[in-house]
Amino acid sequence: MQITITGQHLDLTEALKNHAEDKIGKLDRHFDQVIDARVVLKHAPHENPENTADVTMYAAGHVFHAVSQHADMYRALDLVTEKLESQIDSYKEKRQDRRNDSPSGLAAIAEME
């Protein structure tokens, strides 16, 4: 998975880049079809909370997107990762449910009655 990290109105430190890569890279364990991930870290001192993490992940046939705000940028990354994990799990469950709703499965239920 290709991860692109950009910062708006802040200097990206090596530690912040590594934290973002680690967090987003772990999402590959949940869903291995992710092609590209774009992370935008924003600092807006005039807003409350000041820091925003915006992540867009492109997968085969689906786009996952989440935004999180927190006073601490590391915590904002953690929160956005949790949101993406939830989206991925929901998507995987939906795909699994659609596979189970095959006509052969419904015919088998009808025969049992």
Side-chain angles (χ1 to χ4, degrees):
M1 166 174 45
Q2 177 72 28
I3 301 173
T4 305
I5 303 169
T6 57
Q8 293 180 351
H9 306 292
L10 74 119
D11 293 326
L12 285 176
T13 63
E14 215 39 55
L16 193 57
K17 285 181 186 178
N18 289 338
H19 186 73
E21 287 177 358
D22 289 344
K23 286 292 185 178
I24 302 303
K26 287 182 181 178
L27 294 174
D28 203 23
R29 281 190 279 167
H30 295 279
F31 192 64
D32 61 353
Q33 297 176 356
V34 176
I35 300 165
D36 184 30
R38 296 183 184 159
V39 181
V40 179
L41 306 176
K42 302 174 189 174
H43 177 74
H46 57 279
E47 294 179 10
N48 191 14
E50 299 176 346
N51 300 308
T52 304
D54 184 350
V55 180
T56 306
M57 294 175 58
Y58 300 94
H62 197 75
V63 177
F64 301 98
H65 181 257
V67 178
S68 181
Q69 295 180 328
H70 198 274
D72 180 28
M73 184 61 79
Y74 291 95
R75 184 65 183 137
L77 278 167
D78 294 343
L79 292 172
V80 79
T81 303
E82 291 172 9
K83 288 180 181 181
L84 287 169
E85 283 177 0
S86 175
Q87 287 181 21
I88 290 170
D89 290 342
S90 173
Y91 178 72
K92 285 171 60 176
E93 287 176 14
K94 189 183 295 185
R95 283 183 48 200
Q96 187 65 33
D97 289 344
R98 287 184 182 157
R99 286 185 193 158
N100 291 339
D101 288 342
S102 65
S104 62
L106 294 176
I109 292 172
E111 288 176 8
M112 291 174 47
E113 294 177 348

